[in-house]
Amino acid sequence: MLMTSGDALIDFVPTRNAGGREAVMPAVGGSCLNVAIGLARLGASTGFVGGISTDLFGRMIADHAAASNVELDLATRSDHQTTLAFVRIVAGESHYAFYDAETATREWTYRRGTIPFDGVEALHVGSTTLVNDQGAAETTALIVDARASSTISFDPNCRPNLVKDKPAYLARMAAFAAKADLIKMSDVDFAYLFGDEPYRQRATALLGDGASLVVITRGNDGAMAWHAGAGQIEVAAPEVEVADTIGAGDSFQAALLFALHKQGRIARQTLKGIAADELRRALSFAANCAGLTCTRPGADPPWSHEISWRL
């Protein structure tokens, strides 16, 4: 099984009403849940760990996950409210306003001993859950238990408007990166975390700290990856008609993990030995899945029948 842990929420995505005025439409989201949805739709056995409300929006989340074949047996249902995120597109980038006080995701706690990690090939973490102290602490405990047998995947998926203490946040993201085998971030996240530092320089440092693979996505400019054995790999983004970019990075992450799993390269030791052609194929598949996601509104990653692994 492949597993994700983190945020599950409702995005209110921009649209237009019949009169042409701005409006919003609710859509299930949350970076880590989106990754789980993407993995399951591509055909991987996938589970989600995190807090999901029993309120109206929580039921939407649970129904959406179940319809995409995500297992929720290890998720925690509670009567805390669902996190809400309002999205606005500015210059092609998605900007978010979060309502996240005392929500099911925010109040989630890791129940030690409840997850059979021997059957979990990879655990993916990241995003808004790691901004607050409790979410970061619970996720850290989860990683400590998982790391003995599971590959750790990390995407900071930064949300600057939630960060109150940037130096502390930067230190926290560095700590999570040091625990990860696979690190993926967007160019926007990279700029927030590392400023004008050259990609290659930071990637080399992260590999030196223990990561096996570092990937940076760059929107229309494609993606770049660094691996100690396979070297530097760059792939192009597909040319598509963009509806919005919501969930594109999560779709890329899910497809990358799926591709590594499909090639038998998801386990820590096998990931270290991936060949350049295998990595290029995985990255190209991920880029094309992200491109397809951009052609429709909201976080709506592709199903296996919509995109061929043979791509």
Side-chain angles (χ1 to χ4, degrees):
M1 172 182 282
L2 304 179
M3 181 174 289
T4 76
S5 177
D7 49 343
L9 50 81
I10 297 293
D11 285 324
F12 285 85
V13 299
T15 185
R16 297 277 178 179
N17 64 19
R21 298 181 63 183
E22 288 189 10
V24 292
M25 174 181 66
V28 175
S31 177
C32 293
L33 181 69
N34 290 342
V35 174
I37 297 289
L39 280 165
R41 287 185 177 185
L42 290 173
S45 173
T46 308
F48 174 79
V49 178
I52 300 177
S53 178
T54 54
D55 66 11
L56 169 66
F57 293 127
R59 292 194 296 273
M60 284 177 59
I61 291 169
D63 290 346
H64 180 70
S68 295
N69 302 316
V70 175
E71 295 183 26
L72 296 179
D73 293 349
L74 297 172
T76 302
R77 303 300 298 273
S78 74
D79 59 4
H80 294 290
Q81 294 183 346
T82 298
T83 300
L84 306 180
F86 289 80
V87 187
R88 191 175 183 88
I89 310 298
V90 180
E93 287 288 336
S94 301
H95 293 253
Y96 294 82
F98 289 93
Y99 294 83
D100 192 33
E102 299 181 357
T103 60
T105 291
R106 187 80 175 261
E107 299 299 317
W108 169 77
T109 57
Y110 167 47
R111 296 172 292 173
R112 279 202 120 130
T114 61
I115 300 176
F117 286 111
D118 287 349
V120 177
E121 294 179 86
L123 169 68
H124 174 74
V125 301
S127 198
T128 61
T129 308
L130 307 184
V131 173
N132 66 82
D133 292 342
Q134 177 175 323
E138 298 295 336
T139 304
T140 297
L142 177 70
I143 291 172
V144 168
D145 287 354
R147 204 170 191 283
S149 55
S150 307
T151 296
I152 306 301
S153 165
F154 170 56
D155 176 4
N157 197 24
C158 306
R159 295 289 180 253
N161 58 325
L162 292 178
V163 175
K164 306 303 182 186
D165 182 344
K166 186 172 180 179
Y169 177 77
L170 295 181
R172 178 175 290 166
M173 293 303 100
F176 277 105
K179 297 178 179 70
D181 301 291
L182 189 163
I183 301 166
K184 191 278 289 182
M185 68 188 89
S186 70
D187 52 356
V188 175
D189 289 340
F190 187 96
Y192 182 71
L193 295 172
F194 306 114
D196 295 330
E197 182 177 355
Y199 292 154
R200 183 183 183 87
Q201 180 175 307
R202 176 53 55 175
T204 301
L206 292 169
L207 293 175
D209 288 341
S212 293
L213 178 62
V214 178
V215 180
I216 297 174
T217 57
R218 302 175 299 155
N220 291 333
D221 293 325
M224 301 178 72
W226 291 263
H227 184 274
Q232 180 178 323
I233 305 290
E234 185 170 354
V235 298
E239 293 186 9
V240 297
E241 186 171 337
V242 176
D244 66 44
T245 60
I246 298 170
D250 302 327
S251 181
F252 184 101
Q253 183 82 50
L256 176 59
L257 291 171
F258 176 81
L260 294 173
H261 164 72
K262 197 74 173 176
Q263 294 179 110
R265 293 294 187 179
I266 193 72
R268 182 171 295 118
Q269 290 304 316
T270 59
L271 179 59
K272 289 179 179 178
I274 193 170
D277 60 335
E278 293 175 308
L279 180 54
R280 184 178 301 279
R281 185 183 183 197
L283 292 166
S284 294
F285 179 72
N288 279 277
C289 284
L292 196 156
T293 302
C294 289
T295 65
R296 45 209 193 191
D300 189 7
W303 294 80
S304 58
H305 66 267
E306 295 180 293
I307 191 161
S308 173
W309 162 240
R310 299 181 184 277
L311 188 68

